[in-house]
Every structure is written in structure tokens, then in C-alpha cells.
């Protein structure tokens, strides 16, 4: 159960001789009726999306809006999902595409 502010972290490794440019993101998310209502998506310390009114039925959200693109990212790339609101419950993140 999620209560208060929780952060989920996904870390991606890159071959040391490559850099990455993140131009868009797509995320499926769903919450229970009492789960967190807002999710911030943070890539290497930059908030790239704030998703409000996260649905209880689950849905995909996509973005290519500022501050994307994030260019010349090096290893590791850290994606954080900061969950806020709600009074417990559950939250699901799936099908993350950057």
C-alpha cells in the first residue's frame, strides 16, 4: 500500500561509449480507488511530466513536450516515478517506453 509520497526508481545502463537522447515517453499507469492520484516522472533529475488524476481503469499517457528532449545522457539513466496523494491503496506502472 502506498501512503504519503513514494518514489519508484528504474535505472538503465548504457554501454560506456554511447549516449542517449530521450525525445518522448509513454507510460501505462493505474491506481486503486484510494491510491496516489498524481505521478511525477523524473529522468536524471529533470521532471519531464506531472500526471494528475491518474485513472483507476488504467491508461497510457504519452509526451514529447518540453523539457523533452533530454540530450546526451550517459550511463546510468535513472527514471523515477514519484507518487503523491491518496490514502493508501496501490499503484501500477507498466509498459514504460522512452
Amino acid at each position: 500500500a502506498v501512503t504519503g509520497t513514494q518514489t519508484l526508481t528504474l535505472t538503465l545502463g548504457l554501454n560506456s561509449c554511447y549516449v542517449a537522447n530521450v525525445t518522448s515517453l509513454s507510460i501505462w499507469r493505474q491506481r486503486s480507488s484510494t491510491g496516489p492520484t498524481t505521478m511525477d516522472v523524473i529522468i536524471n533529475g529533470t521532471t519531464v511530466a506531472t500526471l494528475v488524476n491518474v485513472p483507476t481503469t488504467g491508461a497510457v499517457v504519452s509526451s514529447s513536450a518540453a523539457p523533452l528532449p533530454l540530450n546526451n545522457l550517459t550511463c546510468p539513466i535513472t527514471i523515477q516515478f514519484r507518487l503523491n496523494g491518496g490514502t493508501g491503496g496501490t499503484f501500477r506502472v507498466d509498459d514504460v517506453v522512452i
Side-chain angles (χ1 to χ4, degrees), residues 14-65:
L14 294 174
N15 186 315
S16 61
C17 62
Y18 293 102
V19 296
N21 297 325
V22 178
T23 58
S24 64
L25 66 94
S26 175
I27 302 167
W28 185 93
R29 76 274 187 256
Q30 177 182 23
R31 69 180 183 94
S32 66
S33 61
T34 58
T37 56
T38 303
M39 178 174 74
D40 295 318
V41 181
I42 304 157
I43 299 177
N44 281 19
T46 299
T47 301
V48 297
T50 297
L51 311 174
V52 296
N53 299 321
V54 173
T56 58
T57 56
V60 171
V61 64
S62 299
S63 178
S64 59

